C-alpha cells in the first residue's frame, strides 16, 4: 500500500538537489511512502496517485531524528546524585558504579522493560533511529546480556565494556583492559556493530583506549570514542587515527583536534544534554562548523549525566548555547546523526531512503528551537508505518 502525506507546509529533505538550501526545503510538499521506503518527494500539486492520503494540514515535516549516542540498558536511579549536584553539595555515592550495581542486580526482563520505556519516550519526540551501548555491567556476563537485549531493538549496538574500570579491578586496570579486549570482547562481539571506549582521565588513557579499539576492529567492530568531555586529552586524535565514525562529546578541543576533525571522516558528535545536566562548559559547535567538521547532535541519554531522551530539547540547547543556527542543528540531529552511524538510508527524505518522517504542530522546523520544551511532534512514521 502506498501513502501520500500531502500539504506539508515546509519539508526538510536534507537533499539540496530537491529543494532550497542545505536542508533541501520544499514548500507545500508531499511525501509518498511505499512499503518502508520513500518513493517520491515533491510539491503537493505534483504528487502521484496513491492508495491512501494523509493531510498534514500545513504542518512542517522533517526526517526522523537519529540519536547516535545513548546508554539505555541500565537499572536504578541517580536522583540523589543529580539533586546534590544541582544543590551545590558534594556527592560521593559512586556515580557510574551506582548504576553498575543496580544493573547487575536487575533481571533481563527488568532491563528490557526499562529500555523499551525510554525508546517509546524517544519515539514520541520524533526519534526513529537510535544507537545504544553496554557499559553498566562491566562483567562478561552482564555486558553480553546488555548487548543481547539492545540488539533485539536496534541494529546500532555498541560494546562499551571500557566505560570505566570495573570495581573488582580497581587496583589492576591493565587486568581489566585484558578482560575487555579478550574474553569479554569475544562474548560481546556477536551482538554489536560498534566498539567504544571512554578515553578520559579517570577512565582509560590513550594507550589503553587504542588497545580496546584495535581489539574491537579485529573482531569486526567499528570504532567510536567518548572523547575530550572532561578536559583536553588524546581522545579526538585517537578517534581520527583509528578511523572512528564518531568522536563524542568534543567539549575541550585544541586547534589540532579541530583540524583533525575537519580534515578526517570522523564526525564530531555533540551532547548538550550532558553539559546542561552537569552545568559544564558548552561544546563550541560554531568553531567546528566554521572549520569544516561534520557535526552531529545526540542526547547521550543515561541515568547519570544526561537523563533526557528528547532530541528537540538538544536542538534547542545547541541553538541557544552552542552557536548553531536552527538549520544547522536540525541537520545535525538528522543527517549528522546518520553520518555518525555511517548510514545513508536514514536522516534524510529522498527517494529510496527509509520512510522515517516527523510532522510538527508548527509551520517550520525552526519552531524546534523557537519554542523550546513544547511537545511539537504530532505524528511519526517509522519504516513506513505510522507509529504516532
Amino acid at each position: 500500500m502506498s501513502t501520500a502525506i500531502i500539504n506539508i507546509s515546509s519539508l526538510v529533505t536534507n537533499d539540496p538537489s530537491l529543494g532550497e538550501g542545505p536542508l533541501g526545503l520544499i514548500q507545500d510538499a508531499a511525501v509518498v511512502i511505499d512499503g518502508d521506503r520513500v518513493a517520491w518527494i515533491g510539491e503537493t500539486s505534483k504528487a502521484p496517485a496513491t492508495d491512501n492520503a494523509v493531510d498534514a494540514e500545513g504542518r512542517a515535516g522533517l526526517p526522523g531524528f537519529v540519536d547516535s549516542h545513548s546508554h539505555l540498558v541500565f537499572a536504578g536511579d541517580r536522583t540523589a546524585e543529580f539533586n546534590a549536584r544541582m544543590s551545590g553539595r558534594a556527592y560521593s555515592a559512586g556515580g557510574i558504579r551506582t548504576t553498575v550495581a543496580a544493573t547487575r542486580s536487575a533481571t533481563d526482563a527488568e532491563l528490557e522493560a526499562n529500555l523499551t520505556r525510554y525508546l517509546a519516550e524517544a519515539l514520541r519526540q520524533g526519534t526513529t533511529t537510535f544507537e545504544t551501548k553496554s557499559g553498566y555491567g562491566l562483567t562478561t556476563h552482564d555486558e553480553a546480556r546488555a548487548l543481547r537485549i539492545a540488539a533485539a531493538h536496534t541494529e546500532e549496538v555498541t560494546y562499551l565494556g571500557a566505560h570505566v574500570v570495573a570495581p573488582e579491578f580497581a587496583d589492576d586496570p591493565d587486568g581489566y583492559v585484558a578482560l575487555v579486549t579478550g574474553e569479554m570482547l569475544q562474548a560481546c562481539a556477536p551482538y554489536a556493530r560498534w566498539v567504544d571506549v571512554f578515553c578520559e582521565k579517570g577512565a582509560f588513557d590513550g594507550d589503553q583506549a587504542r588497545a580496546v579499539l584495535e581489539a574491537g576492529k579485529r573482531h569486526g567492530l567499528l570504532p567510536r570514542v567518548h572523547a575530550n568531555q572532561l578536559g583536553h586529552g588524546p581522545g579526538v586524535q585517537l578517534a581520527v587515527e583509528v578511523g572512528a565514525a564518531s568522536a563524542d562529546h568534543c567539549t575541550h578541543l585544541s586547534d589540532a583536534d579541530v583540524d583533525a576533525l575537519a580534515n578526517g571522516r570522523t564526525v564530531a558528535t555533540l551532547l548538550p544534554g550532558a553539559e546542561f545536566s552537569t552545568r559544564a562548559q558548552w561544546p563550541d559547535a560554531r568553531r567546528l562548523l566554521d572549520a569544516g567538521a561534520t557535526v552531529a547532535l545526540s542526547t547521550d541519554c543515561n541515568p547519570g549525566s544526561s537523563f533526557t531522551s528528547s532530541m528537540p530539547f538538544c536542538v534547542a540547547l545547541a541553538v541557544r548555547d552552542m552557536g548553531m543556527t536552527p538549520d544547522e542543528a536540525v541537520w545535525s540531529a538528522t543527517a549528522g546523526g546518520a553520518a555518525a552511524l555511517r548510514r545513508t538510508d536514514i536522516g534524510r527524505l529522498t527517494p529510496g531512503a527509509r520512510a522515517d518522517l516527523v510532522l510538527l504542530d508548527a509551520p517550520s522546523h525552526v519552531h524546534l528551537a523557537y519554542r523550546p520544551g513544547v511537545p511539537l511532534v504530532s505524528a511519526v512514521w517509522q519504516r513506513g508505518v505510522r507509529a504516532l
Side-chain angles (χ1 to χ4, degrees):
M1 300 288 286
S2 59
T3 299
I5 306 169
I6 60 174
N7 297 322
I8 301 170
S9 62
S10 176
L11 178 69
V12 174
T13 69
N14 286 334
D15 184 342
S17 71
L18 293 177
E20 177 187 350
L23 295 186
L25 286 171
I26 302 174
Q27 307 301 320
D28 191 18
V31 177
V32 173
I33 297 172
D34 193 352
D36 66 349
R37 299 285 153 172
V38 175
W40 183 90
I41 295 274
E43 297 176 6
T44 293
S45 62
K46 300 176 182 177
T50 56
D51 299 310
N52 302 297
V54 175
D55 191 344
E57 299 179 330
R59 293 177 174 87
L62 67 157
F65 295 117
V66 180
D67 192 346
S68 61
H69 183 125
S70 73
H71 304 250
L72 297 180
V73 185
F74 69 89
D77 182 273
R78 284 159 68 182
T79 303
E81 175 184 336
F82 177 80
N83 190 37
R85 187 165 65 234
M86 294 298 104
S87 303
R89 300 193 303 270
Y91 183 81
S92 57
I96 290 174
R97 292 187 296 277
T98 303
T99 302
V100 169
T103 302
R104 290 179 177 181
S105 299
T107 66
D108 288 9
E110 288 168 337
L111 292 177
E112 186 158 28
N114 210 37
L115 171 65
T116 56
R117 171 189 173 190
Y118 294 117
L119 294 185
E121 185 179 276
L123 183 65
R124 291 195 298 271
Q125 297 170 93
T127 296
T128 53
T129 301
F130 74 98
E131 176 271 0
T132 201
K133 311 174 192 295
S134 64
Y136 290 125
L138 308 187
T139 67
T140 298
H141 166 74
D142 288 302
E143 288 294 293
R145 73 171 179 143
L147 295 173
R148 174 173 47 80
I149 290 167
H153 298 275
T154 181
E155 60 268 60
E156 302 298 345
V157 179
T158 300
Y159 169 50
L160 183 61
H163 196 183
V164 293
V165 174
E168 298 84 358
F169 288 83
D171 297 324
D172 184 18
D174 289 339
Y176 185 66
V177 171
L179 175 65
V180 168
T181 57
E183 172 192 304
M184 187 185 289
L185 173 59
Q186 292 173 12
C188 290
Y191 302 109
R193 182 183 181 208
W194 305 96
V195 59
D196 198 348
V197 59
F198 189 15
C199 184
E200 197 77 53
K201 185 177 181 180
F204 299 90
D205 65 25
D207 291 339
Q208 293 168 328
R210 184 184 298 276
V212 169
L213 298 174
E214 293 293 352
K217 288 171 70 174
R218 289 194 294 272
H219 279 74
L221 303 183
L222 304 173
R224 48 200 322 109
V225 182
H226 280 62
N228 299 55
Q229 176 188 5
L230 305 178
H232 293 281
V236 165
Q237 296 288 336
L238 175 62
V240 175
E241 288 172 20
V242 302
S246 181
D248 296 20
H249 288 290
C250 295
T251 308
H252 300 272
L253 300 179
S254 67
D255 289 345
D257 294 331
V258 174
D259 288 344
L261 290 166
N263 293 304
R265 289 188 61 207
T266 300
V267 174
T269 298
L270 308 183
L271 310 171
E275 279 70 36
F276 176 86
S277 296
T278 59
R279 292 178 176 160
Q281 172 184 321
W282 296 102
D284 189 347
R286 184 79 268 138
R287 181 184 179 200
L288 286 162
L289 290 166
D290 288 348
T294 301
V295 173
L297 288 175
S298 185
T299 65
D300 190 19
C301 187
N302 75 81
S305 61
S306 182
F307 206 6
T308 179
S309 59
S310 175
M311 288 290 279
F313 176 63
C314 291
V315 166
L317 290 179
V319 173
R320 168 62 179 80
D321 291 301
M322 289 163 45
M324 301 184 86
T325 68
D327 284 9
E328 289 168 341
V330 166
W331 189 95
S332 293
T334 52
L341 296 174
R342 292 197 172 157
R343 298 276 296 271
T344 58
D345 60 328
I346 57 175
R348 62 197 69 241
L349 292 169
T350 58
R354 204 168 79 179
D356 294 342
L357 170 70
V358 172
L359 293 181
L360 302 178
D361 228 353
S364 166
H365 64 280
V366 177
H367 279 236
L368 289 165
Y370 181 42
R371 303 196 68 208
V374 176
L376 294 176
V377 174
S378 64
V380 178
W381 280 260
Q382 186 178 40
R383 299 176 184 266
V385 175
R386 187 162 184 175
L388 179 69

